Amino acid sequence: AEAALFDPSGRHAAGLVANQSLDFKKQDGVTEIEESLQASVVERRLNDALLADERAGVVRIDRAPAVVCAVQNFSHFLDLSRKVLRNVELGVPALVLSRGSAGQHVFRWVRALCEAVREVEGAPATREAVLDLVHFANCELDVQRRLLREVLDDASPVYATGSRAAAVALKELARRTFA
């Protein structure tokens, strides 16, 4: 599904580039997608090694839902979209949180991810299992804070990009913040 999403000649990547031009007022989405694809190769290898270690009994992957906070910047968006994909590869549910004007761009990406997963050939049960792992919510900051504080398990990792002040504030709500 990742290859279908980010293939520079594919329809999903073209849509991402067009949407980011509209949403983020940026014009070189193709280069950013290419750089993201290069990072993905390394990340997938690391995930493969982690899964092999889990099968061998060396580690246990905690499958508490991961929260991926979307942003208003296309480079950061690509980084965070990879966080969604890497967690899903490990069987970790991913909740993509968005707010404000970034919501449409991120929603379209989540929808494109689900479409790409449906298009992958393979066992339908596997496709449905992947779709059950991806969730999206667009809500205001106070609702996101309440969600982090009251609903999600303290074991849930939270991924975000932004200022140091934002990272500190997020860390107060979520112990396992990666910012």
Side-chain angles (χ1 to χ4, degrees), residues 94-162:
L95 169 62
V96 181
L97 280 182
S98 186
R99 65 185 167 97
S101 61
Q104 278 301 311
H105 184 81
V106 178
F107 173 76
R108 288 188 297 258
W109 177 81
V110 170
R111 188 177 63 194
L113 170 62
C114 292
E115 287 174 13
V117 167
R118 284 186 186 98
E119 293 168 1
V120 172
E121 293 192 25
T126 303
R127 287 195 306 268
E128 291 308 312
V130 169
L131 294 174
D132 286 344
L133 294 173
V134 180
H135 306 278
F136 172 81
N138 188 31
C139 47
E140 294 307 316
L141 192 55
D142 60 323
V143 176
Q144 289 184 10
R145 287 175 188 248
R146 196 171 78 230
L147 178 70
L148 290 171
R149 188 175 48 251
E150 298 174 12
V151 178
L152 293 171
D153 188 320
D154 192 41
S156 292
V158 177
Y159 300 97
T161 59

Side-chain angles (χ1 to χ4, degrees), residues 20-159:
Q20 69 91 24
S21 292
L22 291 171
D23 296 338
F24 299 116
K25 310 296 186 246
K26 207 161 181 206
Q27 297 178 353
D28 192 16
V30 174
T31 299
E32 294 193 41
I33 286 176
E34 288 290 341
E35 290 169 354
S36 183
L37 286 171
Q38 292 170 8
S40 291
V41 171
V42 174
E43 293 169 350
R44 278 194 306 273
R45 287 180 188 151
L46 291 170
N47 263 8
D48 290 345
L50 183 59
L51 287 167
D53 282 349
E54 184 181 51
R55 282 189 298 276
V58 175
V59 297
R60 184 186 67 79
I61 299 171
D62 186 342
R63 291 189 169 79
V67 179
V68 180
C69 302
V71 293
Q72 307 263 356
N73 171 302
F74 193 59
S75 296
H76 293 169
F77 163 76
L78 288 171
D79 178 51
L80 293 172
S81 68
R82 290 194 325 271
K83 301 297 186 263
V84 171
L85 294 166
R86 298 296 82 81
N87 276 282
V88 168
E89 285 173 356
L90 296 172
V92 175
L95 169 62
V96 181
L97 280 182
S98 186
R99 65 185 167 97
S101 61
Q104 278 301 311
H105 184 81
V106 178
F107 173 76
R108 288 188 297 258
W109 177 81
V110 170
R111 188 177 63 194
L113 170 62
C114 292
E115 287 174 13
V117 167
R118 284 186 186 98
E119 293 168 1
V120 172
E121 293 192 25
T126 303
R127 287 195 306 268
E128 291 308 312
V130 169
L131 294 174
D132 286 344
L133 294 173
V134 180
H135 306 278
F136 172 81
N138 188 31
C139 47
E140 294 307 316
L141 192 55
D142 60 323
V143 176
Q144 289 184 10
R145 287 175 188 248
R146 196 171 78 230
L147 178 70
L148 290 171
R149 188 175 48 251
E150 298 174 12
V151 178
L152 293 171
D153 188 320
D154 192 41
S156 292
V158 177
Y159 300 97

